[in-house]
Amino acid sequence: MNLKTKQLPSFSFEDGTQVQDVPVAYRSWGRLNEARDNAVLVCHALTGDTAVDAWWPDMLGPGRALDTDRYFVICANVIGSPYGSLSPLSVCPTKGTRYGVDFPVPTLRDTVALHKLLLEALGVRQVAFAIGGSLGGMQVLEWAFHREFVRGLVPIGVGGRHSAWCIAWSEVQREAIRRDPAWQQGGYPDSASPTDGLSIARMIAMISYRSFESFGRRFGREENTTEHPGDFSMESYLRYQGSKFVERFDANCYLCLTQSMDTHDVARDRGDYYDVLNSIDQPTLVVGIDSDLLYPLTEQRELAAQL
């Protein structure tokens, strides 16, 4: 399905920032039923886009989990991402240039609020369930507080709040970008972006997405015998991931999104953490990933016990 963009007239961030003519990029599959209550919202991860058919091909389609004969499946791009929605790449009307580092850091609640406006503009009256992993899972948990709008939840590889462990990994990645001489306090031109720092940030992230055991199974001490003889395969893998990433992502967007993830806390301004989790009453399928270093299974077990 081709990428579409809905232009919303205005949006207010949690911090009070007001923005006019707000683009929201999305893709959809299937059709809304007459009651307009068969939508399924797929929430993408940190560096993901809206192409669910590309990154979850076995999940989407007729008769599959995301059944396009039964559901109207939609995936919207988050605030801050370089893939079409409002982000640091958008032009600031007061400056006449890109927002860049001046873009307001969106909370997870900001993204959910914007996506709710999109769904309502598309005629959706109710969402059957929201599903997503990592950053997507954080959005899923925030959708829990729109009880009359979302009937079910499927958070994958996530906890109820961003841990100190996760914030530490993200800050090291952000610092790698800031230490790049091309960073220029976030004011870099397109022709000279901080690709070295962004590449290292991606390499760090790729380590955090796996575990001691999964790295051992996949790479062990195998050496690269082709492109860089003498290097370990693991080294070549990380360099490749870093170099490919800078071709498709923006450094200011990466900082913005990782900072947005740091705001994740379902209890913020709502009360005691466990009381807030216990207040969530929609049917929920909690999924963990045993090779994920960032979001250990203890967090998913906590969700399953407390929801």
Side-chain angles (χ1 to χ4, degrees):
M1 180 63 66
N2 292 332
L3 183 69
K4 302 175 183 177
T5 301
K6 185 74 173 178
Q7 202 82 10
L8 299 176
S10 64
F11 181 73
S12 297
F13 285 78
E14 271 200 276
D15 69 1
T17 302
Q18 302 275 337
V19 186
Q20 308 299 317
D21 300 321
V22 182
V24 189
Y26 71 97
R27 284 184 170 89
S28 64
W29 300 261
R31 295 182 179 180
L32 269 176
N33 60 13
E34 188 174 344
R36 298 182 177 272
D37 64 356
N38 69 327
V40 166
L41 181 64
V42 182
C43 306
H44 69 74
L46 171 61
T47 61
D49 57 17
T50 56
V52 181
D53 51 342
W55 41 267
W56 268 357
D58 295 331
M59 290 275 284
L60 179 71
R64 294 175 176 171
L66 305 177
D67 190 342
T68 50
D69 286 341
R70 181 181 177 188
Y71 298 118
F72 174 62
V73 181
I74 183 167
C75 181
N77 189 222
V78 302
I79 302 175
S81 169
Y83 296 128
S85 290
L86 183 69
S87 79
L89 297 180
S90 302
V91 174
C92 174
T94 58
K95 292 170 39 179
T97 58
R98 289 178 174 178
Y99 281 97
V101 76
D102 295 327
F103 189 76
V105 175
T107 66
L108 268 296
R109 297 177 194 179
D110 284 328
T111 282
V112 166
L114 183 66
H115 288 177
K116 189 169 189 288
L117 292 175
L118 168 68
L119 291 172
E120 290 171 343
L122 295 176
V124 174
R125 292 177 181 167
Q126 201 171 61
V127 172
F129 63 90
I131 180 172
S134 185
L135 172 61
M138 297 174 190
Q139 296 168 66
V140 169
L141 290 174
E142 279 298 327
W143 278 110
F145 301 95
H146 296 265
R147 290 178 173 83
E148 302 303 315
F149 193 67
V150 177
R151 301 197 302 271
L153 311 167
V154 187
I156 302 171
V158 73
R161 53 190 172 187
H162 221 209
S163 65
W165 173 249
C166 288
I167 295 170
W169 278 96
S170 294
E171 177 58 17
V172 171
Q173 294 171 57
R174 291 190 289 261
E175 195 63 14
I177 294 171
R178 298 186 191 111
R179 296 292 183 95
D180 189 320
W183 166 242
Q184 298 186 45
Q185 303 301 311
Y188 54 87
D190 289 343
S191 58
S193 61
T195 54
D196 288 347
L198 183 58
S199 175
I200 293 170
R202 179 63 168 177
M203 292 166 70
I204 294 169
M206 295 306 296
I207 297 172
S208 73
Y209 298 155
R210 293 182 177 271
S211 67
F212 179 92
E213 292 79 10
S214 66
F215 272 127
R217 286 193 300 269
R218 178 164 181 180
F219 299 103
R221 290 185 55 79
E222 179 183 327
E223 293 187 6
N224 187 332
T225 58
T226 54
E227 299 170 353
H228 301 283
D231 285 358
F232 289 107
S233 294
M234 165 51 62
E235 295 174 300
S236 298
Y237 167 79
L238 291 176
R239 292 191 190 107
Y240 172 77
Q241 293 294 334
S243 63
K244 291 296 291 182
F245 186 62
V246 300
E247 296 173 3
R248 68 177 180 90
F249 223 81
D250 172 72
N252 275 322
C253 287
Y254 196 79
L255 263 70
C256 176
L257 288 175
T258 57
Q259 290 171 320
S260 182
M261 292 175 77
D262 288 350
T263 72
H264 172 54
D265 182 354
V266 296
R268 177 170 60 86
D269 299 329
R270 289 180 177 138
D272 175 78
Y273 177 65
Y274 294 107
D275 288 344
V276 171
L277 285 180
N278 190 249
S279 74
I280 296 173
D281 55 9
Q282 293 101 319
T284 303
L285 172 63
V286 179
V287 181
I289 301 170
D290 61 9
S291 61
D292 189 346
L293 189 65
L294 273 180
Y295 305 103
L297 294 180
T298 52
E299 291 196 323
Q300 287 87 65
R301 292 191 182 103
E302 178 183 70
L303 287 178
Q306 298 295 330
L307 289 174

